[in-house]
Amino acid sequence: MKRADFRAAYLATDERGLFPERIERAFSLLTECTGCPRKCRIDRMRGEKGFCRAGEYPEISSYGPHFGEEKPLVGRNGSGTVFLTYCNLGCIFCQNYSISRLGEGYRVSFEKFSGIMVELERRGCHNINFVSPSHFVPHILKALPEAIGRGLTVPLVYNTGGYDSVETLKLLDGIFDIYMPDFKFTRSDVAQMYSEAPDYPQVVTAALKEMHRQTGDLEMDEDGIALRGLLVRHLVLPKASREPARPCAFSHRRYPETPTSTSWTSIIPAAKSSLPPLPLHGESRRRNSGSR
């Protein structure tokens, strides 16, 4: 696709007047929070904190052109990355642990949030890339209409760990142009050990299906820069070379035209000095049953 022929999905959604209803539905999830698969059922609008510890207002750690993202996002001028504070996963190997678990960041107004998007486009970034957006979906939706009114036109990237509710993703149909989820684990015991999310395999496979339904396979412009579609990212854990092969194989079977990116270098276990070894198949089950 030629970039001149591209039009961001959210522009048509705005023209159809769909934002107010989407925003209302999204914020209604926060009063007894069911915005992500953890379903903490706390009232974020009254200051209660769930697993992710996010609250009523958007919080960010930093933003700016980023050149370390996947190649289809970076181009010449970088991906306009917004690092959102906190995360709905508990990955012990997270390279952004100080942001995702320790809460390094600051609260911003919705006006400022909108302005950040517009500023990144004006600085030449090829897209607006929200890192760990799952727990701030309502806030992104609320900030977008003002950003659109101020001239936002570039693709939006949903850069997620893959632990996303299909119900919430449906609120983003016609909003995000590019989905870039992690597909970390296919085993519940591994997902629990490393990310405190034993249902991750089931959640991520359902989320991938919905993301692909919305955007299809990855489409790039004449310079190889992504405009629309699904890009799946697989992470490789030290001493766990077999586990990443399973998500890769699943993605290839289900979405053969969808590019995958496997990262070997971006894992920094800041939370713990070393990672526990992967359990053998059935080890957790045998331990729980008391068998020897």
Side-chain angles (χ1 to χ4, degrees), residues 90-106:
C91 302
I92 62 175
F93 51 78
C94 182
Q95 65 170 333
N96 295 322
Y97 186 79
S98 63
I99 301 170
S100 64
R101 302 306 298 155
L102 301 184
E104 182 181 277
Y106 55 95

Side-chain angles (χ1 to χ4, degrees), residues 187-190 193 279-292:
R187 289 171 51 187
S188 294
D189 55 346
V190 178
M193 176 180 289
L280 299 174
H281 278 292
E283 180 179 324
S284 298
R285 185 166 57 252
R286 289 194 301 271
R287 183 185 301 119
N288 292 336
S289 67
S291 59
R292 302 288 181 182

Side-chain angles (χ1 to χ4, degrees), residues 240-265:
S241 58
R242 292 184 181 180
E243 176 61 16
R246 297 184 179 96
C248 286
F250 175 91
S251 297
H252 182 70
R253 288 195 307 270
R254 187 68 61 87
Y255 311 109
E257 301 302 319
T258 295
T260 60
S261 172
T262 305
S263 173
W264 293 83
T265 59

Side-chain angles (χ1 to χ4, degrees), residues 177-193:
D177 304 284
I178 300 167
Y179 282 104
M180 188 170 69
D182 290 343
F183 192 166
K184 302 176 189 287
F185 317 111
T186 59
R187 289 171 51 187
S188 294
D189 55 346
V190 178
Q192 171 60 26
M193 176 180 289

